[in-house]
Amino acid sequence: MSTTPTPSASARAGAPAPAATSATSGTALQILFSVAFVHLLNDCVQAVLPSIYPLLKQEFALTFTQVGLITLTFQCTASLLQPWIGLYTDKHPIPFLLPVGMCVTLLGVGLLSVAGSFPMLLVAAGMIGVGSSTFHPEASRVARLASGGRFGFAQSLFQVGGNLGSAFGPLLAAAIIVGRGQGRIAWFTLFVLVAVIVLVGVSRWYGSHLKSAVRKSAVHAGPGLPRGRVIQALTVLALLVFSKYVYMASLQSYYTFYLIEKFHVPVGTAQMYLFLFLASVAAGTFAGGPIGDRIGRKRVIWVSILGAAPFTLALPYASLFWTGVLTVVIGLVMSSAFSAIVVFAQELVPGKVGMIAGVFFGLMFGVSGIGAAAMGHMADVAGIESVYRMASYLPLLGMLAALLPKMEK
């Protein structure tokens, strides 16, 4: 008798694979859009903080250094916990950590609306950061689990939700808070409550798919590189994140101050320029992941970081019109890298999806916070324009992308 499997037997033997991909055939779009939507709400609330810096600076008589310390407090609490949360939940998944962490953000936003002193502002910023640190690793894991194998697309969709939130945050802050007082910040607790409700449903889906997630991570083979080569590649990726987000911190934290001081535009106009920049970041992020799926993530990383250098070098010497144009181009080009970097790193270290997401999201927040604090001090000492002259050279570190291994077949 022949022992060749029949088609039906072969289909039964391969049956676990489709079940392991997602709840639907291909990408579980409902879950992907849910985590992207919550990422939008989460980062919209976070973007309110730098958007109201001019208000806080005036009301509490803050220096640029103190403004940088607020950003540093938020970014550090948002970064230091993320790798550890990701590492722990790789071994012991906690689906309902998602809505619980968002509740911490809720408390932070409420405190920010009633804070009466600089230390209380720091505590509120820290609580918002803690909520962020619990959200990003687990939400990134859910996005990958629901990707159906389209990892770049899923990561970009998840990330673009956050970018859109960051873009709309300043507009909503201008419409709701600016000119009306600190107490109006409390309106943003409604955004966080919606996020908590959505995350309860996402957590239930995630909990029901934990077994398939464990099974996929167990059979996923790595790139077959020596340990030293993997460490070298991760170090290069970390340096690229450093160059990208220190520069981005200079735009997100001080762009409005730069426009007001150099071009004497009103706060509302400066907020519109910031919105244009953040919207371009969202567009570039959405494009980066699918392009990386198609042409290779290393190429996207290379072009995204180094390709922004001519524009960053020209920015400090541009007129108001060309400043707006250049920042939009910089946002489009530089933002396409992060999704590719995260997926590239996850493929280097399979089975550690949460830890890698936590490390790189945490590195993003930590580097941004340190960069913002350092640039705030530089602005106090040498003037706000010096920040953009010094930071313009950072994208040249994109040349390090040549050291990354080529893993695409």
Side-chain angles (χ1 to χ4, degrees):
M1 297 290 291
S2 173
T3 58
T4 302
T6 65
S8 59
S10 299
R12 287 193 299 270
T21 55
S22 65
T24 64
S25 58
T27 306
L29 286 177
Q30 182 178 358
I31 297 301
L32 282 177
F33 277 107
S34 293
V35 293
F37 175 64
V38 175
H39 202 184
L40 183 152
L41 296 175
N42 180 78
D43 285 25
C44 178
V45 169
Q46 291 177 7
V48 169
L49 189 58
S51 299
I52 61 172
Y53 280 167
L55 181 151
L56 297 177
K57 189 175 187 295
Q58 180 178 5
E59 187 161 334
F60 292 91
L62 304 178
T63 65
F64 279 119
T65 300
Q66 287 176 309
V67 171
L69 287 173
I70 294 174
T71 301
L72 177 63
T73 301
F74 163 71
Q75 304 287 26
C76 283
T77 55
S79 63
L80 295 178
L81 293 176
Q82 287 203 44
W84 300 106
I85 291 173
L87 180 62
Y88 182 82
T89 54
D90 279 330
K91 298 179 180 180
H92 310 284
I94 310 173
F96 276 89
L97 188 63
L98 285 166
V100 169
M102 196 59 62
C103 288
V104 179
T105 297
L106 179 65
L107 295 175
V109 174
L111 180 59
L112 185 63
S113 68
V114 298
S117 65
F118 177 65
M120 288 184 68
L121 292 177
L122 293 179
V123 172
M127 293 181 70
I128 295 172
V130 169
S132 177
S133 69
T134 59
F135 170 74
H136 286 95
E138 286 299 274
S140 181
R141 187 202 308 277
V142 171
R144 186 176 177 89
L145 176 60
S147 68
R150 300 165 64 191
F151 302 132
F153 166 75
Q155 187 62 44
S156 281
L157 183 60
F158 170 67
Q159 189 65 20
V160 81
N163 293 142
L164 287 173
S166 297
F168 284 113
L171 290 182
L172 292 172
I176 297 173
I177 302 170
V178 174
R180 296 174 176 84
Q182 179 187 355
R184 288 297 189 99
I185 299 171
W187 282 101
F188 286 88
T189 58
L190 298 176
F191 290 54
V192 186
L193 284 171
V194 172
V196 170
I197 294 170
V198 175
L199 285 179
V200 169
V202 170
S203 296
R204 289 173 177 167
W205 181 91
Y206 177 29
S208 68
H209 288 73
L210 281 177
K211 289 183 179 180
S212 66
V214 172
R215 184 165 59 248
K216 284 193 292 182
S217 65
V219 301
H220 192 284
L225 297 173
R227 178 182 175 84
R229 190 77 174 92
V230 171
I231 293 174
Q232 180 194 45
L234 291 174
T235 302
V236 169
L237 292 174
L239 289 172
L240 294 176
V241 169
F242 169 84
S243 68
K244 169 182 166 61
Y245 279 101
V246 169
Y247 186 82
M248 298 290 270
S250 73
L251 286 174
Q252 291 177 338
S253 294
Y254 302 107
Y255 188 36
T256 53
F257 294 116
Y258 174 74
L259 294 172
I260 292 168
E261 181 174 315
K262 184 173 182 179
F263 301 109
H264 310 292
V265 299
V267 174
T269 301
Q271 293 282 15
M272 286 300 301
Y273 273 82
L274 180 60
F275 168 75
L276 290 174
F277 164 70
L278 294 174
S280 70
V281 169
T285 300
F286 185 72
I291 292 173
D293 284 338
R294 184 175 296 273
I295 70 170
R297 287 175 249 286
K298 181 177 177 179
R299 294 187 181 95
V300 172
I301 295 169
W302 175 276
V303 172
S304 176
I305 306 295
L306 187 60
F311 308 105
T312 62
L313 291 168
L315 180 65
Y317 312 101
S319 65
L320 177 61
F321 171 78
W322 285 108
T323 293
V325 173
L326 287 172
T327 51
V328 167
V329 175
I330 290 167
L332 284 169
V333 175
M334 291 193 78
S335 62
S336 61
F338 188 70
S339 298
I341 288 173
V342 171
V343 176
F344 196 101
Q346 288 172 337
E347 291 173 348
L348 283 169
V349 192
K352 300 292 184 183
V353 172
M355 185 194 73
I356 291 297
V359 165
F360 280 90
F361 276 104
L363 184 63
M364 174 184 73
F365 286 118
V367 163
S368 298
I370 294 170
M375 289 177 183
H377 181 68
M378 184 187 302
D380 282 332
V381 172
I384 194 71
E385 293 184 41
S386 66
V387 168
Y388 292 93
R389 286 194 296 268
M390 294 290 293
S392 65
Y393 296 95
L394 286 169
L396 294 175
L397 287 175
M399 290 184 289
L400 293 173
L403 300 177
L404 292 174
K406 184 178 180 181
M407 296 194 300
E408 292 88 359
K409 293 182 177 60

